[in-house]
Amino acid sequence: MAKAAKSSFVCQSCGAISARWSGKCVSCGDWNTIVEEVTSAPPPGSGLTRASKGRTLTLETLAGAPEEAPRFLTGMPELDRVTGGGIVPGSVLLISGEPGIGKSTLLLQLAAALGRAGRRAIYFSGEEAAAQVRLRAARLGLADAPVALAAETSLTNILATLGEEKRADLVVIDSIQTLWSDALEAAPGSVSQVRAATQSLVRYAKQAGCALLLVGHVTKDGQIAGPKAVEHVVDTVLSFEGDRGHTYRILRATKNRFGATDEIGVFEMAGSGLKEVANPSELFLGERDAKAPGTSVFAGMEGTRPILVEIQALVAPSGLGVPRRAVVGWEQSRLAMLIAVLEARCGVSFAHHDVYLNVAGGLRIVEPAADLAAAAALLASLGNRALDPKQIHFGEISLSGAVRAAPHMGLRLKEAAKLGFTEATIPASGDPNADGAKLKLRRVAHLKELAEALGPCD
Ligand SMILES: [Zn+2]
């Protein structure tokens, strides 16, 4: 086959295509990410070079009974929760995460669970040899599970194999970055290879009606290598997060065509594989040192589930001209804002102090309602005092210092009561029926009230 060589310049970071090489990508601003990729023109007569005539579509109205997508349960309740109630046949899921975080373990457990439930699960490993996957299966106690396994990186071979399948329910590709198609000259892992492989596999999944799970590795800066090109063609993007220093892992949906994106699934990495954590609050508060100064408990929400987590602050005199502000598990800009509000509206100065804030256990909080808990931890650390260990906090703080209502107040309070907490510092406004829980409520309208109550004691 004669190839009409045609070059395009593709940013390896964001996937933007340009006609010329340049040092900096105009789309995402990254340096030295643009690589020349040779693409072949479609062969003549393939139908791709000439627009076909098309057929007339039947246009419909917006009204009508909504069609609930059929789903099958995975047998892993935390995974079902994140996907919005199970996996939809014909859907394509991308599981992204840092190398070594446990994506292969999760998917092998999933494939085994489905296999044992009588479904046809096929696992293509491009990262590891079949023997290595078998070793892992043995370690996880899954060696007897009926999972079809192949170690392969050639897209053509994988598609040919799948073409022979009568009924596949689940196909796992581990990972999408290892696949290569011989129709392209670009190297495996490059944007054009990853894009081509994903598109071919998506087409197969939609035709065959089988669920497709793609593993995508994330590079240090949080981008899936060879990346956005994949996110927009898949139905669901799940990110698998966690800290190697901690045993638990969090599965979070960042895109989901078949459900909500705010649910998280919590797993614990044990020797025998990933175990589901039904009550994450107990896990996150498990190693808590309640008497330590500068810690508070935040009653947060992850989707429909309340999760209690400890927030730790360390405010220490600074020897630097510009004091340090460091934060783990929360937004740096949010901490800067909170410190500014405490200084400007409450007269509490951190100008000569280094400030460190840490969300215990390595959970990443995105909710603004964590403001009040963070403020309490900062004030307690500045005053070197321990807060009442049976107390929880939540509430968003505005730039004026006003404490704003948070959604789902009742659920948060109920969870706190269930875990033995007795007191809650919460916004003055908001759900007046939240008092139903058996907690002593302290309602604050302005951050000043909290600052006065926790003012420096020495
Ligand atoms: Zn770019």
Side-chain angles (χ1 to χ4, degrees), residues 30 176 217 219 254 280 350 386:
D30 280 2
I176 190 71
H217 293 303
T219 48
T254 54
F350 291 90

Side-chain angles (χ1 to χ4, degrees), residues 40-107:
S40 317
S46 66
L48 294 168
T49 45
R50 211 161 32 96
S52 55
K53 196 149 175 267
R55 68 186 168 84
T56 318
L57 303 174
T58 318
L59 302 173
E60 296 173 37
T61 60
L62 287 174
E67 219 173 286
E68 191 63 36
R71 295 170 185 271
F72 60 82
L73 294 176
T74 60
M76 301 174 86
E78 291 293 301
L79 188 62
D80 290 336
R81 171 194 291 278
V82 179
T83 51
I87 292 179
V88 177
S91 69
V92 181
L93 293 88
L94 172 71
I95 299 211
S96 67
E98 284 175 27
I101 206 81
K103 298 185 294 294
S104 301
T105 303
L106 177 74
L107 294 185

Side-chain angles (χ1 to χ4, degrees), residues 11 14 25 27-28:
C11 171
C14 72
C25 171
S27 180
C28 68

